[in-house]
Amino acid sequence: MNRSFNGSYVNQTVYTVLVDIAKKSNLNFRQVNQSINVQKSTSEQKLDPVISKQERSVSGIVYDELNEGLPGVNVVINGTSSGTITDYEGNYRLNIPDENITLVFSAIGYDDQEILVGARSVIDVTLGVNVKELEEVVVMGYGTQIKRKMTSSVSRVNLEKLNSAATNSFEGGLQGIVPGVQVTTSSALGGSAIRVRIRGTSSVSANSEPLYVIDGIPIESGEISTSQPGGGIQEWNLQQAANTNVLASLNPADIESMEVLKDAAAAAIYGSRGANGVVLITTKNGKAGETKVTVSGSFGLSEATNRIGLLNAEQYLILAKQAWYNSGFDVADFWNNSGVLVDGLTQEEAERTDTDWVDQVLQVGQVADYNVSISGGSKKTTFYLSANVKDQTTILRGNKYQRFGTRLNVDHEINEKLSIGGRLMLTYINDKQVPTNWAGGVSNVSEMLPIWPVRKEDGSYFNVSDEQPVAGVDLRTINLKSNQILGNWYFKYKILDALSFRSELGSNLLFNDDFHFRDGQITSHGRSVASTVNGKRMGYNWKNIVNYTKSFGQHNLDLLGASEMQSYTSKLNSVFGDTFINSTLTRPQDAAIINASNGESTYSFLSYIGRANYDFQDRYLLSVSFRADGSSRFGPDNRWGYFPAVSLGWVISDENFFSTLATTVNFFKIRFSYGLVGNSEIGDYSYLSTYGTSTYDANTGLGISNVGDDELGWETTSQLNIGITFEILEGRISGEFDIYDKTTNDLLLPFPVSQMTGVSLVTKNAGTLTNKGYDLMLSSVNINTSSFKWSSSVTLNYNENLVTSLGDELIEDGISASVGLGGISIFPGYPVGVNQLVEWAGVDQKTGEDTYKDLEGNILSYSQAIEDYGSFAIFEQANRRPMGNPWPKYTGGVENRFNFKKFYGSFLFTFATGQTYEDGYMKALTQPFGGDKLNPPSHMLNSWSSSDGNTSNVSQVNASNVFWEGTSEHLYSTDYLRLRDLTIGYKITSRGTAVKGVDVSLKMVNALTFTKAPDFFWDPEFTGVVQSRQSNNIGAGGAFKQSPQAKSIILGLVINL
Amino acid sequence: MKKLVIILVSTIFCSCGDDFLDNPPNIGLTPDKLTDLASAQALLYGAYTQIRPFVSQSALYSAGMMRDVLNRNRGEYDNFYGHEISTNMTSWQYTSGFTALGTVNKIFADDLANTAATDAEKAAILADAHFLRALIYFDLNNYWGDPITGYTVPLLELPLSIDDRVSCATTSELSSFIETEIEAARFHFQEASSGISNYYAATALAARIYFFHEKYDSAYARANEVITSGQYALESDVTDVFTAPGNSNEIIFKIMFNSVDGSGVSPSARIFEAYQASPTVGFYSMNTNGVAAEMIMDEDDARYTGLYSSDDNYVYVEKYTTDQMHYQYIRLAEMHLTRAEANIIVNSSVNQQDVDDINALRNRAKPSSALTSIPTKDQALNMLFEDRTKELAFELGDHFLNTKRLKFGIIRTEDEGDGFKTYSEWIELLLYPFPTNEVDIHGLTRSGN
């Protein structure tokens, strides 16, 4: 429409102005988040209040779903153009001709409601939320956009869909609800890390976690604390992924929405930090109107998703004696010579002991979560204030995680041109950890035999060492405390009607205070050791944005120019104490030997950003962006990277030729995008050759610590995305489908160099990696009546990860990574982190021996391999080949939601298929009767036996020692389908009372799991053998000493005041 | 106002320069700063730090190969015990050795001649640098040198850049280099103002090198020089040699440990961790059915009663009762054994000095075994093999090196059956493989390049 209106609005609010315009036009206005949506009225009614000749009138208040007065609602007499609009507090008054008329209440984002007036003079109405997906305002980097106009691949998740209540951190809630986002939880440890990959792993050695941006401020994800606070590496916990996750500091209840930027066109605005995708988190704002108070609490119980099957004492003795016999020994000598009687244990004691070591380290977990939020404000000032407490005792005995947090979000409009605001989050975390994974504890339950007691008769620990799970937990203290302050402050100035300027300063301060203590009974040298670690991370971010938005006829233009600078400094001081004269002394200061160490590093980014969004008739859409990023992490000659992107959209359903289909397919858009993004997550000084210091006899020593590369530059990912967005049957069915092709060039590889240079690896740009696949998101409203609503959604991602080149003929056979097991590698033609294994060919049913296939396809028995090659190790070295795939090919979820009157419910299934893991520890567990005394998994009871005549694919047990070869026998599929979330609830609302609403819910998390993983895997979900989130791509295919995950039942209560 | 805002916006956009991206590290040094004498000294200290794991790995791995130990609970050490030598473990030793060599070679690459320092100070730097190169290459050659094909690890005299490619040296070439280096060390130590190590340490190492290079006249001369210098004295009680922290006057060269160096970096940490007298921690105990045990387990010998303990299941080696001690690399007892054996071989007969050398150790450990007459050459050599094994067991791999020198057999693994396998059967089998990456990158092969 091309109508103009005249009016004088001095000192009037926007609301007043819009009401006036609405009255003079056939337009409706509706505030959605930070924007005003404009829509033609559904009928050509004139919205002036009707002055009837009759004196009868009807009035009332229109409420939203939270019982807040809803302004701007159209109240129209059905079949006429007469009506009115609710005021600021939701009030309306309307003269009516008679009592037989029906009023229609409508507002954008809400379901229409029709009410017969009858004899009533007061009619209060509550409108249900119904935000049409295409009209949603989606947060993009440095701005927002209406979804129907978007040309790139962005998924929006609102709080209602975020299933984060029972996850360690909010990002875990993305699992199964955003296509293309792979979420893997690493452990049941409180606050532990979650691995997130968006459209596959885009790097080999650089950090592959997405960039998290909270209210516009990029956040350092990863671990808060260090896992190796001093001393020899063996003295500590080696469980980096278990360390407290920075992102767990954010209270999920404070999140309004999350946007996941998946394709390069969307993420390119974040340039060098967008290669892994971007997750934008928007926290809640207050809304003008009555002050709202929400009090919520939940209490949950949890247990392990799976108890691994180990042998009991009787089963162990049967099998151990069988192994002893099979090795040619006399069973009569078993007790005296087999080595099972340790630490003074007698045969009689062993025979009457049956310890379930799993029971000793697991417990029923409890979690309590409390939130209070107060929000509201006036026309000029809005606020959101919240406080939260989480108190969790996990299923791992001794593990306790507490979080105390508060948030204040304030926005204030000084005048029509100038507005200011700020966000401030304070979080304190007290995390009492227990060892897991390599560090022991629950991951060491196989290290102890069921015939061994936990304690001796005198109360001391039996067979005490770090490998004794109970002693390992009881005699070690890991207490990680942290304080995080996350804040940002802005002012926005409207220079011209179409031109605005926003300056925003953000800061992120993180202080950690860790304490570690290990009793001498579980250290390798027998002395107690302790350390304190104090870390400080300080980052700031300052960005300045100029935005120009203007429509020229049917041409709409949105221009953005911005600069951004960011600096981040990390400092770490640790004090390590060794040898305490008294068991009550635990602080390093009281130790006989005290060592201190210090670390410090800084990085900075300087960026210039431009973006233009253009559309013609809302039908032909174009977006172009460009970002120039400079980073201190690269050599002076290669500091700057340039990241352009372009995306196009065509709303075909608006074309005339589409009109025949338009009654069914009411919206259909084709999207195309291409862009470049970068990855700079390689540490701060990789480009420099540096010599580190050491100490020899109290003298300072020097040794080369890094060989730099002046030419070290950006890892660049290009991504082509072609997609469609559609809506059928007036939104009853909607969806998106995207095909993408991502190529990462100049991989920042841990390039193997000759160890004779003094280092074994240098960081170098070499090689290419691709991720190709598709995302599908389908939503449907299956039933929608006034009393019952059923909606469904399906997400699916297919992704194929492939290293296509390592860029140098010298490493055409791949890069072997030293991850403790030695068999995990990067090979051209295979996914990142593929296993290098000898192909296992089953058990020779005549001899009970394992057989293996050499590279020529010949099948050799274990003894033949040794005979031919001299040793099995040499055979293994000569016949390994890449196998397996640590990355799932298909991931997704199926969700159904129901509303029946005041009841509601939902269930979400998630799945991942196509991934495999090599359990490097299984070889030890399947030869547990030699020097290493281990309790094997229960399937070993079915091992091959010459006497029973049954066939078995588990080789004959014997008392030989373990050789740590890697074969495909222990390469397992971990496909799974999981009932991730099952919720039922009851929600009541009331008006005019102190309590405006009560919501009671019961939620089950991970209630059911169907998996191909063997039953000696704690859980099909884990993150691979290399525990650091920063570098866990290479070792992603190896599993070693896993730890359990939890399933929970949670009772929740929300009270709105 | 609008102009002001536009100026403000423009200023903000343009206010930040490229220098914002200059964030050099505050910790550590870049190579261009290593130009003075103090830097050269620090490189040497760094190299001494880096050889800590190198020497202890030699001792542990070789004890496993000789099957002198039982491995209770460290699967990775079964590679050695089971005579299936893989690169998993040996690569660590290769890497730590060449890492230390790289640090030392940096000194030779720098312009030491033009560094501001006295000749004596420069000599001290050179002396330790040559000493370290001899020590490291000697051990590398012992485990990677193939006596059958005559090829060994590459010989590097300068730091290797990542683009350099090298090939295997011959064992004779490397042996010659090692001897040249240790003599250069001795030469410079004589002119040096001071050093981390000293002249007699270099001379003792020279004796060891020549002895295992089967240059017995030189071995005799060097060992004799150390013994007759009067700088060192045998402890009257052999257990005193191993009293922490290890400052016995019998020790000629030790790799130092100072508590301020930091826990976990002790040169004896790995050995202590392996041998500690506990059934639940530690992983190596003496194989009572092994060759060494047969010689060592003598209840009348102080070297057994004072340096080993046992419980119902295991016999523990207690030469390292704590990790808070120096690592005894060469001690005077070895010089007596070396001097005696070298002298007997050179003379093809036994004299009283040889008997005195043997008795010097027997008298303090088991006086009843002291020789009262001069034995025959063969008797003396057999005695020396046994005495050497008893005296130096589990310290630095002497039993393995001596078995290799004498081409003796090694006890078979369980899979191979009872008895011994001959030198020709084991010499290639127990040769350490090159790390896979070195083969990939340099194409290293000991079958001739």
Side-chain angles (χ1 to χ4, degrees):
Chain A
M1 61 175 279
N2 288 309
R3 291 178 58 189
S4 17
F5 300 94
N6 295 319
S8 174
Y9 303 110
V10 179
N11 290 331
Q12 297 296 308
T13 65
V14 173
Y15 172 78
T16 307
V17 174
L18 292 177
V19 167
D20 189 59
I21 295 171
K23 288 176 179 175
K24 296 173 180 174
S25 70
N26 64 336
L27 295 177
N28 291 347
F29 298 93
R30 170 78 182 138
Q31 182 181 356
V32 178
N33 297 329
Q34 305 296 319
S35 304
I36 303 291
N37 285 0
V38 185
Q39 192 182 49
K40 288 181 182 177
S41 292
T42 51
S43 61
E44 289 299 314
Q45 74 270 37
K46 187 179 179 185
L47 296 177
D48 285 322
V50 177
I51 307 298
S52 169
K53 290 177 181 174
Q54 298 182 21
E55 297 298 318
R56 174 87 197 276
S57 71
V58 64
S59 64
I61 306 172
V62 180
Y63 295 96
D64 65 9
E65 77 284 5
L66 299 173
N67 266 345
E68 302 295 325
L70 193 59
V73 178
N74 296 316
V75 186
V76 180
I77 299 171
N78 198 14
T80 75
S81 60
S82 300
T84 188
I85 293 175
T86 58
D87 68 9
Y88 176 68
E89 293 176 327
N91 298 302
Y92 73 94
R93 174 175 290 277
L94 185 66
N95 290 333
I96 56 172
D98 59 64
E99 63 185 29
N100 295 320
I101 61 117
T102 297
L103 294 181
V104 179
F105 297 82
S106 63
I108 295 171
Y110 292 86
D111 287 327
D112 292 356
Q113 200 165 137
E114 297 183 4
I115 295 179
L116 180 65
V117 174
R120 288 178 291 177
S121 60
V122 176
I123 299 176
D124 292 342
V125 177
T126 299
L127 296 186
V129 176
N130 178 22
V131 179
K132 289 192 174 177
E133 212 174 294
L134 292 170
E135 305 304 330
E136 278 184 335
V137 174
V138 176
V139 179
M140 304 286 289
Y142 306 92
T144 59
Q145 198 168 31
I146 296 171
K147 187 167 183 180
R148 66 169 283 128
K149 286 191 177 186
M150 282 178 39
T151 50
S152 52
S153 181
V154 177
S155 294
R156 176 181 167 84
V157 183
N158 58 31
L159 181 61
E160 187 189 4
K161 284 190 172 179
L162 196 62
N163 296 293
S164 59
T167 64
N168 286 329
S169 186
F170 69 87
E171 70 272 28
L174 294 171
Q175 190 171 37
I177 61 173
V178 178
V181 178
Q182 298 173 1
V183 179
T184 314
T185 307
S186 61
S187 161
L189 271 172
S192 61
I194 291 170
R195 186 180 74 190
V196 177
R197 294 287 180 274
I198 297 177
R199 291 183 168 178
T201 290
S202 301
S203 184
V204 171
S205 62
N207 182 11
S208 297
E209 295 293 319
L211 174 68
Y212 292 90
V213 180
I214 300 177
D215 290 327
I217 306 301
I219 301 300
E220 285 290 310
S221 61
E223 300 85 26
I224 289 178
S225 309
T226 177
S227 64
Q228 294 158 20
I233 193 169
Q234 69 274 20
E235 298 308 317
W236 297 104
N237 55 13
L238 286 168
Q239 52 179 13
Q240 292 175 355
N243 277 335
T244 315
N245 175 12
V246 170
L247 297 172
S249 299
L250 180 64
N251 177 20
D254 287 339
I255 296 174
E256 177 76 36
S257 68
M258 284 203 282
E259 272 81 8
V260 182
L261 314 186
K262 296 188 289 189
D263 70 354
I269 202 74
Y270 288 98
S272 64
R273 311 183 74 183
N276 304 320
V278 183
V279 179
L280 305 176
I281 299 109
T282 306
T283 60
K284 290 177 177 172
N285 286 331
K287 290 173 184 163
E290 196 177 344
T291 299
K292 271 193 323 186
V293 179
T294 301
V295 180
S296 64
S298 64
F299 178 78
L301 299 171
S302 55
E303 62 176 22
T305 54
N306 177 42
R307 279 179 61 93
I308 59 173
L310 300 174
L311 303 184
N312 62 27
E314 183 185 357
Q315 293 167 328
Y316 175 79
L317 286 174
I318 291 170
L319 208 57
K321 288 176 181 175
Q322 194 179 320
W324 186 249
Y325 174 79
N326 291 341
S327 287
F329 300 121
D330 187 344
V331 176
D333 296 333
F334 172 77
W335 285 107
N336 290 330
N337 295 338
S338 68
V340 296
L341 296 179
V342 297
D343 202 14
L345 189 71
T346 64
Q347 179 181 344
E348 293 70 30
E349 288 170 328
E351 285 180 325
R352 66 168 183 262
T353 301
D354 189 1
T355 303
D356 186 332
W357 287 94
V358 174
D359 275 350
Q360 296 296 321
V361 287
L362 292 187
Q363 62 185 7
V364 174
Q366 297 181 13
V367 60
D369 203 333
Y370 308 102
N371 286 279
V372 178
S373 68
I374 305 169
S375 66
S378 63
K379 294 172 187 172
K380 290 200 164 189
T381 304
T382 58
F383 71 95
Y384 173 84
L385 175 65
S386 76
N388 67 90
V389 176
K390 182 176 184 177
D391 189 358
Q392 184 179 17
T393 304
T394 72
I395 62 171
L396 305 174
R397 196 172 62 77
N399 181 214
K400 189 172 176 62
Y401 177 85
Q402 293 172 307
R403 183 185 67 214
F404 304 89
T406 182
R407 166 170 287 277
L408 175 62
N409 292 356
V410 177
D411 297 285
H412 177 67
E413 185 182 301
I414 295 173
N415 56 43
E416 287 182 354
K417 289 192 174 292
L418 185 62
S419 55
I420 59 171
R423 310 274 180 273
L424 187 65
M425 180 194 87
L426 308 175
T427 303
Y428 167 73
I429 288 173
N430 184 2
D431 183 8
K432 291 178 181 171
Q433 284 210 337
V434 289
T436 58
N437 299 10
W438 294 66
V442 68
S443 303
N444 270 352
V445 289
S446 298
E447 300 285 342
M448 295 289 117
L449 303 184
I451 58 171
W452 291 350
V454 177
R455 291 175 185 270
K456 300 177 186 174
E457 287 183 358
D458 63 4
S460 61
Y461 291 102
F462 176 79
N463 203 25
V464 62
S465 78
D466 197 29
E467 294 190 337
Q468 214 260 42
V470 178
V473 169
D474 291 351
L475 299 176
R476 183 188 328 225
T477 303
I478 309 171
N479 190 192
L480 314 174
K481 295 177 182 173
S482 65
N483 289 285
Q484 187 166 20
I485 303 170
L486 182 65
N488 62 308
W489 299 268
Y490 73 88
F491 77 86
K492 184 177 178 183
Y493 188 78
K494 190 175 178 184
I495 303 167
L496 303 168
D497 286 346
L499 184 66
S500 65
F501 170 72
R502 180 184 173 102
S503 184
E504 186 167 341
L505 181 67
S507 73
N508 185 7
L509 305 175
L510 177 62
F511 305 92
N512 67 289
D513 174 9
D514 304 341
F515 172 67
H516 301 246
F517 178 81
R518 280 183 71 184
D519 190 282
Q521 295 178 71
I522 58 166
T523 57
S524 61
H525 45 51
R527 302 187 304 276
S528 298
V529 291
S531 87
T532 54
V533 181
N534 290 290
K536 185 164 63 174
R537 297 188 219 170
M538 300 162 293
Y540 73 87
N541 173 293
W542 184 29
K543 58 176 178 276
N544 298 285
I545 305 167
V546 173
N547 201 278
Y548 179 78
T549 307
K550 185 83 173 174
S551 294
F552 305 92
Q554 294 180 306
H555 301 271
N556 302 307
L557 188 62
D558 183 359
L559 299 176
L560 176 140
S563 71
E564 184 170 12
M565 54 193 291
Q566 184 174 359
S567 178
Y568 203 84
T569 299
S570 302
K571 293 184 178 180
L572 198 70
N573 296 305
S574 64
V575 182
F576 176 79
D578 186 331
T579 310
F580 295 86
I581 59 165
N582 185 300
S583 61
T584 61
L585 300 177
T586 59
R587 265 30 188 191
Q589 182 61 39
D590 292 324
I593 304 165
I594 300 172
N595 297 125
S597 64
N598 161 259
E600 183 177 328
S601 68
T602 299
Y603 71 79
S604 54
F605 281 89
L606 180 60
S607 312
Y608 299 100
I609 304 149
R611 181 171 63 198
N613 292 335
Y614 164 79
D615 71 78
F616 176 64
Q617 293 180 333
D618 293 348
R619 188 186 308 174
Y620 308 105
L621 315 168
L622 169 68
S623 179
V624 180
S625 69
F626 180 81
R627 178 164 178 142
D629 265 341
S631 172
S632 64
R633 285 175 166 162
F634 296 97
D637 298 333
N638 224 342
R639 273 185 177 159
W640 285 89
Y642 305 98
F643 306 99
V646 61
S647 55
L648 301 165
W650 180 20
V651 183
I652 300 177
S653 53
D654 283 359
E655 299 289 353
N656 289 332
F657 64 77
F658 201 84
S659 57
T660 52
L661 285 171
T663 51
T664 308
V665 182
N666 43 293
F667 183 81
F668 192 90
K669 178 172 67 177
I670 295 177
R671 293 176 279 107
F672 164 88
S673 73
Y674 181 80
L676 295 179
V677 281
N679 193 337
S680 58
E681 297 299 311
I682 55 161
D684 295 337
Y685 304 114
S686 295
Y687 72 94
L688 274 176
S689 289
T690 51
Y691 280 76
T693 55
S694 56
T695 311
Y696 182 80
D697 193 22
N699 296 287
T700 300
L702 285 173
I704 192 158
S705 53
N706 186 60
V707 174
D709 178 359
D710 288 343
E711 299 296 312
L712 193 66
W714 305 88
E715 188 174 272
T716 306
T717 298
S718 62
Q719 187 175 175
L720 173 69
N721 189 95
I722 299 172
I724 56 170
T725 304
F726 60 90
E727 199 174 270
I728 301 170
L729 300 175
E730 292 296 328
R732 291 295 285 264
I733 299 172
S734 61
E736 288 187 327
F737 180 73
D738 289 85
I739 298 175
Y740 59 86
D741 186 344
K742 268 204 302 189
T743 301
T744 305
N745 290 306
D746 297 328
L747 284 172
L748 290 163
L749 285 179
F751 196 85
V753 295
S754 172
Q755 290 157 337
M756 293 183 281
T757 59
V759 297
S760 57
L761 299 169
V762 298
T763 305
K764 192 172 176 180
N765 293 106
T768 305
L769 167 70
T770 63
N771 283 280
K772 296 179 181 178
Y774 58 80
D775 292 340
L776 173 67
M777 170 84 182
L778 271 179
S779 301
S780 65
V781 179
N782 309 316
I783 299 174
N784 191 10
T785 67
S786 58
S787 60
F788 183 66
K789 183 175 181 182
W790 170 29
S791 60
S792 305
S793 64
V794 176
T795 64
L796 175 68
N797 168 256
Y798 170 80
N799 188 75
E800 186 154 353
N801 175 279
L802 208 61
V803 176
T804 54
S805 157
L806 290 177
D808 191 315
E809 71 278 5
L810 289 171
I811 51 172
E812 61 186 2
D813 292 334
I815 299 172
S816 293
S818 177
V819 292
L821 301 175
I824 296 168
S825 303
I826 312 160
F827 272 84
Y830 294 89
V832 174
V834 69
N835 304 99
Q836 269 196 93
L837 303 171
V838 172
E839 186 175 345
W840 179 67
V843 171
D844 183 336
Q845 296 303 323
K846 292 179 183 168
T847 63
E849 266 194 308
D850 286 314
T851 62
Y852 303 93
K853 203 179 270 187
D854 67 15
L855 291 181
E856 280 75 46
N858 304 309
I859 293 177
L860 287 81
S861 69
Y862 182 76
S863 53
Q864 278 177 312
I866 293 172
E867 192 177 330
D868 290 359
Y869 286 81
S871 75
F872 194 83
I874 298 171
F875 169 75
E876 183 203 352
Q877 288 281 334
N879 290 288
R880 294 189 306 177
R881 62 182 179 83
M883 286 186 212
N885 180 4
W887 309 103
K889 285 196 169 180
Y890 292 94
T891 55
V894 178
E895 185 178 36
N896 281 276
R897 290 177 173 270
F898 306 91
N899 290 83
F900 176 66
K901 295 185 176 174
K902 292 176 179 175
F903 289 94
Y904 64 91
S906 66
F907 64 84
L908 169 67
F909 279 97
T910 62
F911 60 87
T913 68
Q915 71 277 19
T916 58
Y917 288 87
E918 186 223 358
D919 189 339
Y921 200 47
M922 270 308 293
K923 194 60 195 175
L925 291 177
T926 53
Q927 291 187 349
F929 306 111
D932 287 358
K933 295 291 178 253
L934 302 165
N935 190 15
S938 53
H939 79 279
M940 291 291 293
L941 288 169
N942 299 319
S943 60
W944 186 91
S945 170
S946 60
S947 57
D948 61 16
N950 292 326
T951 58
S952 171
N953 244 354
V954 182
S955 58
Q956 185 184 44
V957 291
N958 58 51
S960 298
N961 285 321
V962 172
F963 292 96
W964 289 70
E965 72 269 30
T967 76
S968 62
E969 180 185 2
H970 305 301
L971 184 69
Y972 302 101
S973 165
T974 59
D975 293 357
Y976 72 87
L977 171 68
R978 168 169 274 169
L979 179 54
R980 171 86 176 148
D981 183 89
L982 175 64
T983 303
I984 55 170
Y986 183 76
K987 186 189 288 187
I988 53 173
T989 57
S990 64
R991 289 192 287 269
T993 59
V995 178
K996 292 177 181 169
V998 176
D999 183 347
V1000 183
S1001 64
L1002 187 67
K1003 180 185 279 283
M1004 297 175 76
V1005 180
N1006 294 341
L1008 293 171
T1009 303
F1010 309 95
T1011 179
K1012 287 184 180 175
D1015 67 356
F1016 46 81
F1017 273 43
W1018 281 107
D1019 194 272
E1021 272 192 82
F1022 52 91
T1023 51
V1025 70
V1026 177
Q1027 299 301 310
S1028 170
R1029 299 176 78 208
Q1030 305 295 323
S1031 60
N1032 65 0
N1033 295 331
I1034 299 172
F1040 182 79
K1041 290 198 171 184
Q1042 308 148 37
S1043 59
Q1045 303 229 24
K1047 58 182 175 184
S1048 312
I1049 181 165
I1050 300 164
L1051 180 66
L1053 174 67
V1054 180
I1055 301 172
N1056 291 313
L1057 302 174
Chain B
M1 183 65 186
K2 284 178 184 172
K3 284 181 181 174
L4 278 176
V5 171
I6 290 167
I7 290 168
L8 176 64
V9 170
S10 306
T11 305
I12 288 169
F13 268 76
C14 304
S15 61
C16 204
D18 238 22
D19 55 352
F20 180 69
L21 301 177
D22 291 330
N23 289 307
N26 294 328
I27 294 173
L29 285 170
T30 49
D32 57 305
K33 295 172 185 165
L34 305 178
T35 54
D36 57 4
L37 185 72
S39 296
Q41 286 170 334
L43 285 168
L44 286 172
Y45 283 122
Y48 274 102
T49 304
Q50 289 163 337
I51 63 169
R52 287 168 166 164
F54 178 71
V55 294
S56 56
Q57 282 161 347
S58 287
L60 290 177
Y61 295 174
S62 60
M65 290 193 296
M66 294 305 296
R67 299 175 67 81
D68 288 337
V69 289
L70 284 177
N71 175 25
R72 296 198 301 279
N73 53 24
R74 283 289 178 92
E76 63 270 35
Y77 280 84
D78 282 338
N79 285 310
F80 302 99
Y81 190 72
H83 291 174
E84 295 198 14
I85 313 298
S86 75
T87 57
N88 287 352
M89 299 288 282
T90 55
S91 290
W92 295 353
Q93 189 177 352
Y94 190 94
T95 302
S96 55
F98 272 103
T99 299
L101 277 172
T103 306
V104 176
N105 284 341
K106 176 79 171 70
I107 293 168
F108 290 102
D110 291 340
D111 189 9
L112 187 65
N114 289 318
T115 300
T118 65
D119 288 345
E121 288 170 333
K122 291 176 186 175
I125 298 292
L126 289 171
D128 271 306
H130 287 295
F131 175 76
L132 280 167
R133 290 210 299 201
L135 185 154
I136 297 164
Y137 271 123
F138 175 64
D139 236 12
L140 288 171
N141 195 35
N142 286 334
Y143 294 98
W144 275 270
D146 186 342
I148 308 299
T149 66
Y151 285 98
T152 185
V153 297
L155 172 56
L156 308 179
E157 297 185 59
L158 290 171
L160 193 73
S161 80
I162 58 175
D163 297 321
D164 289 342
R165 296 292 176 264
V166 295
S167 57
C168 288
T170 63
T171 51
S172 59
E173 180 187 8
L174 187 59
S175 296
S176 175
F177 178 78
I178 293 164
E179 291 162 14
T180 304
E181 285 299 287
I182 198 61
E183 291 304 327
R186 294 178 68 238
F187 171 78
H188 288 298
F189 272 128
Q190 286 178 309
E191 298 186 339
S193 54
S194 63
I196 302 169
S197 201
N198 61 41
Y199 174 78
Y200 291 106
T203 305
L205 179 58
R208 180 186 288 177
I209 289 168
Y210 289 127
F211 182 70
F212 287 109
H213 285 181
E214 301 179 47
K215 293 185 174 177
Y216 296 110
D217 49 354
S218 298
Y220 172 83
R222 301 293 175 263
N224 186 56
E225 185 177 352
V226 174
I227 294 167
T228 57
S229 71
Q231 298 287 317
Y232 308 94
L234 292 175
E235 295 284 355
S236 57
D237 181 347
V238 67
T239 60
D240 288 345
V241 178
F242 300 95
T243 303
N247 285 325
S248 165
N249 196 37
E250 186 174 324
I251 300 169
I252 301 165
F253 171 61
K254 56 201 171 198
I255 298 169
M256 301 292 290
F257 173 70
N258 186 312
S259 62
V260 301
D261 294 356
S263 183
V265 299
S266 161
S268 57
R270 197 176 291 261
I271 294 179
F272 165 72
E273 183 189 339
Y275 286 117
Q276 57 192 294
S278 163
T280 54
V281 291
F283 52 91
Y284 265 2
S285 53
M286 189 155 69
N287 178 6
T288 53
N289 297 316
V291 171
E294 190 179 343
M295 292 183 257
I296 293 167
M297 292 177 70
D298 179 348
E299 294 292 347
D300 298 324
D301 195 319
R303 286 171 294 199
Y304 177 62
T305 56
L307 295 171
Y308 297 82
S309 65
S310 60
D311 60 20
D312 292 343
N313 295 308
Y314 305 113
V315 175
Y316 302 108
V317 181
E318 297 218 50
K319 288 190 171 181
Y320 294 85
T321 52
T322 170
D323 61 356
Q324 305 294 295
M325 61 191 292
H326 312 306
Y327 181 73
Q328 296 92 327
Y329 193 76
I330 304 178
R331 57 190 175 95
L332 190 60
E334 181 188 340
M335 293 297 103
H336 280 287
L337 293 164
T338 297
R339 183 172 75 170
E341 187 161 350
N343 198 38
I344 292 168
I345 294 171
V346 169
N347 296 329
S348 204
S349 64
V350 185
N351 63 28
Q352 186 58 45
Q353 181 185 286
D354 306 331
V355 171
D356 291 344
D357 279 331
I358 294 170
N359 281 346
L361 304 181
R362 289 192 169 199
N363 277 328
R364 73 170 177 180
K366 185 181 179 184
S368 62
S369 66
L371 299 176
T372 53
S373 60
I374 295 177
T376 66
K377 175 190 168 190
D378 289 344
Q379 285 173 330
L381 291 179
N382 286 337
M383 288 176 191
L384 280 163
F385 179 77
E386 185 171 331
D387 284 5
R388 208 173 167 102
T389 304
K390 281 180 171 180
E391 186 70 34
L392 303 176
F394 308 111
E395 288 180 42
L396 45 84
D398 188 83
H399 187 203
F400 173 76
L401 296 182
N402 213 22
T403 300
K404 183 179 174 187
R405 177 181 66 93
L406 297 170
K407 298 182 172 57
F408 284 179
I410 288 181
I411 193 167
R412 292 185 187 279
T413 66
E414 283 85 358
D415 291 340
E416 294 165 340
D418 294 333
F420 288 77
K421 51 188 165 200
T422 63
Y423 174 78
S424 60
E425 287 177 307
W426 67 257
I427 186 61
E428 293 280 335
L429 187 64
L430 299 187
L431 200 60
Y432 286 4
F434 287 125
T436 309
N437 282 349
E438 301 304 312
V439 175
D440 290 346
I441 293 168
H442 298 288
L444 294 184
T445 170
R446 281 173 291 214
S447 58
N449 295 287

